[in-house]
Amino acid sequence: MDAKKIFDQMTPYKPGKQTDDVKKEYGLETIVKLASNENPFGYSDKVANAIPTLATHVEIYPDGYATELREALAGKLNVKKDQLVFGCGSDEVVDIICRTYLDTGMNTIVAKPTFPQYKHNALIQGAEVKEIPLHDGYHDLEGMLQAIDDNTKIVWLCTPNNPTGCLIDEAALTAFMKKCPSDVLVVVDEAYYEYVTSENMPDAIQALKQYSNLIVLRTFSKAYGLAGLRIGYGITSEKIANLLNITRGPFNTTRVAQGAAKIALEDEDFLNSSLEKNTKNKQQFLQFLDELGLDYYDSETNFVFVKLPVSGDALFEHLLSKGYIIRSGEALGHPNGVRITIGKKADMDAIQDHIRSFLAPVIEESRL
């Protein structure tokens, strides 16, 4: 059976190197993974204690409405319960949005580079994808507005952006929303929302009251440390949420994931502790990069994209041999760089030593 023609031009998502593979390949016992922007500090002890109970009665379907989590999240965000749509990670919500709104003859607008699943899912639905290059890591919002035409259905704004970490500030987002046609959906993906420390972070949830064409995405995979349970969500108008919930599968999030997310939402001590450690360790890492003379993009996330005088693959392979998995820019549309997740202090100190020993000769030679 032949699939859609577009599949001839596409490949499956390729995740970063897995720890067991690296151990076998290099004969290492300890691996530090700093490639996927997971929370290196784990997840709430309260979640860990609850999982044995949550994992009982697996013969029964989960609550398709995610009632308890929905009520808790609606209360925390001060939105109506029916403004929410849950997904197996926020990337499933991206897929749901594409399946609901995109078709052949339509187009969607994304930054380049950005989170690849916007483009991936849009192409599967037969839509044209217009890619607007970033400006020094930031969205070219004016360029995206100019790209909108009569066939544009969705504009994707990843903020802070992955892989650069740059934030669309409040003034910029407000100006964009005012100019964007009201019949074009604007999806603001805030997967790294909790990590933002800038005072100019826009209140996208509040903006929902003013703009009926806005969808905000968030996740429990990053700061809350529940990546392995796969649960994220979207917040939008009740009208749009209803359409997305028609598209959504009836039991797409598990009982364990729903229960764990609700508990994680309530454990603010763990969340705040993780955020404080991330901020401190990131500041120290940025200081190291400054001392080495390496440029990097502004980051409001738990990762930093470092610009290099060599290919991203070269540093990636060197660190891999030392037991550190990072993400090469080659796979992210930015070959001369790497994306490094901020880890625990001891791990960040060690990886800095490895980076220095590998790059110092190259940097010195470039200065001669």
Side-chain angles (χ1 to χ4, degrees):
M1 294 292 292
D2 292 331
K4 297 178 181 178
K5 291 297 183 183
I6 190 62
F7 283 95
D8 294 338
Q9 307 169 33
M10 301 175 72
T11 58
Y13 173 75
K14 294 182 180 179
K17 285 271 190 177
Q18 300 301 301
T19 56
D20 287 344
D21 295 335
V22 178
K23 285 180 180 179
K24 292 177 182 177
E25 185 175 351
Y26 292 93
L28 299 168
E29 293 185 2
T30 303
I31 302 297
V32 178
K33 187 183 178 191
L34 301 174
S36 302
N37 308 331
E38 296 144 329
N39 188 337
F41 310 110
Y43 52 93
S44 166
D45 287 341
K46 294 180 180 179
V47 170
N49 293 334
I51 283 179
T53 301
L54 294 172
T56 58
H57 297 295
V58 296
E59 78 280 9
I60 299 173
Y61 285 111
D63 175 4
Y65 189 65
T67 304
E68 292 186 7
L69 175 58
R70 182 180 295 272
E71 290 175 348
L73 198 54
K76 187 175 183 65
L77 300 177
N78 193 27
V79 298
K80 296 178 181 178
K81 291 184 290 185
D82 287 337
Q83 286 183 255
L84 296 167
V85 56
F86 293 96
C88 181
S90 57
D91 52 349
E92 189 196 19
V93 186
V94 170
D95 179 41
I96 290 170
I97 293 169
C98 289
R99 286 191 287 132
T100 303
Y101 286 99
L102 295 180
D103 206 341
T104 303
M106 301 173 181
N107 69 65
T108 186
I109 298 171
V110 303
K112 182 179 182 179
T114 192
F115 184 55
Q117 293 305 102
Y118 313 142
K119 178 180 179 179
H120 181 88
N121 288 299
L123 289 174
I124 290 174
Q125 299 308 319
E128 175 192 359
V129 179
K130 296 184 179 183
E131 297 181 275
I132 310 301
L134 300 172
H135 281 172
D136 198 23
Y138 287 88
H139 284 66
D140 176 8
L141 295 177
E142 192 58 40
M144 298 179 94
L145 285 169
Q146 291 176 7
I148 294 173
D149 61 28
D150 291 342
N151 296 320
T152 303
K153 294 295 291 184
I154 308 172
V155 178
W156 303 88
L157 304 179
C158 184
T159 177
N161 187 48
N162 180 9
T164 60
C166 299
L167 177 73
I168 298 174
D169 65 27
E170 182 175 11
L173 181 61
T174 299
F176 181 89
M177 292 303 301
K178 287 181 177 179
K179 295 178 183 178
C180 185
S182 60
D183 61 346
V184 174
L185 277 176
V186 178
V187 181
V188 175
D189 187 347
E190 296 186 329
Y192 298 92
Y193 168 81
E194 290 81 7
Y195 287 106
V196 176
T197 59
S198 171
E199 295 180 355
N200 295 321
M201 175 70 177
D203 189 341
I205 302 295
Q206 185 66 23
L208 289 169
K209 298 178 181 179
Q210 186 173 356
Y211 301 104
S212 60
N213 59 328
L214 179 62
I215 302 175
V216 181
L217 303 183
R218 292 186 184 172
T219 184
F220 287 94
S221 295
K222 303 303 181 183
Y224 289 100
L226 303 184
L229 292 180
R230 311 306 302 123
I231 185 158
Y233 58 98
I235 319 103
T236 185
S237 68
E238 291 178 281
K239 179 180 179 180
I240 292 176
N242 180 63
L243 294 172
L244 298 181
N245 278 311
I246 291 172
T247 304
R248 176 183 62 83
F251 304 111
N252 64 324
T253 60
T254 68
R255 179 170 179 258
V256 176
Q258 293 174 23
K262 180 177 180 293
I263 294 168
L265 194 68
E266 296 166 350
D267 191 354
E268 294 184 358
D269 287 343
F270 169 79
L271 178 64
N272 291 333
S273 174
S274 291
L275 300 181
E276 288 172 7
K277 293 174 189 173
N278 175 79
T279 298
K280 183 177 180 180
N281 294 351
K282 183 170 73 172
Q283 289 173 344
Q284 292 175 343
F285 185 57
L286 296 181
Q287 183 178 353
F288 158 76
L289 296 176
D290 290 337
E291 292 171 355
L292 209 57
L294 292 173
D295 290 331
Y296 48 86
Y297 289 117
D298 298 333
S299 175
E300 287 288 340
T301 62
N302 67 330
F303 63 82
V304 177
F305 193 98
V306 185
K307 304 174 188 179
L308 300 173
V310 298
S311 74
D313 279 357
L315 182 57
F316 167 80
E317 291 293 344
H318 175 74
L319 292 177
L320 198 62
S321 70
K322 304 298 182 182
Y324 289 83
I325 308 175
I326 61 169
R327 195 76 156 141
S328 170
E330 295 278 358
L332 302 171
H334 198 317
N336 285 94
V338 291
R339 191 189 66 192
I340 300 177
T341 303
I342 302 301
K344 297 176 181 177
K345 186 179 186 310
D347 294 329
M348 296 307 294
D349 288 344
I351 198 174
Q352 287 170 197
D353 289 340
H354 292 307
I355 292 173
R356 181 184 289 107
S357 65
F358 182 75
L359 290 180
V362 180
I363 294 172
E364 184 62 29
E365 182 178 344
S366 67
R367 291 172 178 169
L368 296 177

